[in-house]
Amino acid sequence: MSTHLNHVVVTGASGDIGAAVVAACLERGAEVLAQYRTRKDRLSDINVRTGNLIPVQLDLTEPGAPRALAESIPLHWTGVDLLVNSVGGARPTRFADITDDEWHACRRLNVDVPFFVLRELLKPLEKAGGSVVNLSSVAALTGGSFGPHYAANKAAVIGLTRSAARSLGPQGIRVNCVAPGPVASAMTESLDPHTLDALVSATALHRIVHPTEVATTILNLATSPAITGQTLVIDGGRFLH
């Protein structure tokens, strides 16, 4: 199993956590295939060495897009050492206000995309003895403040992680998950200020998490050869277990 990060694929790379992961991998000298849908400027702002960042614009919820991502892997790569499924998110919505379309869109983005991307990258991951880190949320464990659509689908990501770890372990592929709490991001900025204050007050550290802290944890999981099938909560001590 590879503990080296030479070739990395990050989905949702222009998001707050995704961009932090891209920057951390580049700092380690990795080549990074960075999928984004919008906001390429977030990637352009990262100070990178020439040739190490490969931005790919795709909407991964579109049919065929996960395969197109796999086909974008450079021919000189010998495999994929790390896949970070960072794509995801939701709009805060009350239970009774969630529409059918919003429910299904949340599932496509947060569950379908990680599954289909992982399925398309199985061969290069196996070739490198690579690792996968999926992005869930502490909302999967607490119910969260964004609504049942987000909590339910992020819980499904944990189930997907465990099943994939058990199924793919014999192929030398490790699969883990991180479940951040309130992170300094566009998502937390969309919360009502009183709701956000309540979330922060409920943490043991009385602060929100920075995206770079999540990125560091992801890379630690990716380079720990005996860890698979685990979900690591990163929330400043709100959900204690």
Side-chain angles (χ1 to χ4, degrees):
M1 293 187 182
S2 175
T3 57
H4 302 290
L5 300 180
N6 298 317
H7 303 122
V8 178
V9 176
V10 180
T11 68
S14 63
D16 297 282
I17 293 176
V21 172
V22 169
C25 290
L26 290 168
E27 288 173 4
R28 292 195 179 198
E31 288 185 77
V32 181
L33 181 68
Q35 177 274 329
Y36 70 99
R37 186 176 65 86
T38 58
R39 299 203 62 186
K40 185 179 180 180
D41 60 294
R42 294 290 301 275
L43 299 175
S44 300
D45 289 342
I46 298 173
N47 186 21
V48 300
R49 287 187 293 255
T50 302
N52 278 13
L53 178 63
I54 307 164
V56 176
Q57 184 176 26
L58 287 168
D59 181 347
L60 290 174
T61 65
E62 294 292 330
R67 176 165 295 180
L69 179 67
E71 292 173 348
S72 300
I73 293 174
L75 293 176
H76 70 272
W77 283 21
T78 55
V80 171
D81 298 302
L82 172 63
L83 164 64
V84 180
N85 271 315
S86 180
V87 71
R91 180 175 63 89
T93 310
R94 295 186 303 173
F95 198 108
D97 295 334
I98 296 171
T99 65
D100 291 2
D101 287 344
E102 191 168 15
W103 178 270
H104 294 308
C106 189
R107 188 206 70 234
R108 284 195 298 272
L109 182 64
N110 290 282
V111 182
D112 293 357
V113 166
F115 168 74
F116 290 125
V117 168
L118 172 53
R119 190 182 67 179
E120 292 296 336
L121 294 185
L122 281 179
K123 287 184 178 179
L125 282 164
E126 183 177 10
K127 193 171 183 180
S131 172
V132 180
V133 180
N134 295 320
L135 199 70
S136 179
S137 167
V138 74
L141 306 171
T142 65
S145 301
F146 285 87
H149 57 324
Y150 187 66
N153 283 289
K154 285 305 188 182
V157 172
I158 295 175
L160 170 62
T161 297
R162 291 172 176 168
S163 178
R166 189 172 296 279
S167 298
L168 303 178
Q171 296 170 234
I173 301 172
R174 294 183 299 107
V175 188
N176 289 294
C177 186
V178 294
V183 175
S185 67
M187 278 192 69
T188 52
E189 289 174 3
S190 70
L191 287 172
D192 175 87
H194 297 293
T195 300
L196 182 58
D197 288 343
L199 290 174
V200 171
S201 297
T203 68
L205 297 180
H206 283 198
R207 69 174 180 87
I208 59 176
V209 176
H210 194 274
T212 57
E213 296 174 305
V214 181
T216 297
T217 304
I218 287 172
L219 297 195
N220 286 341
L221 282 173
T223 54
S224 299
I227 301 177
T228 194
Q230 303 304 307
T231 297
L232 190 56
V233 175
I234 314 166
D235 71 346
R238 178 167 175 255
F239 180 74
L240 303 175
H241 63 103

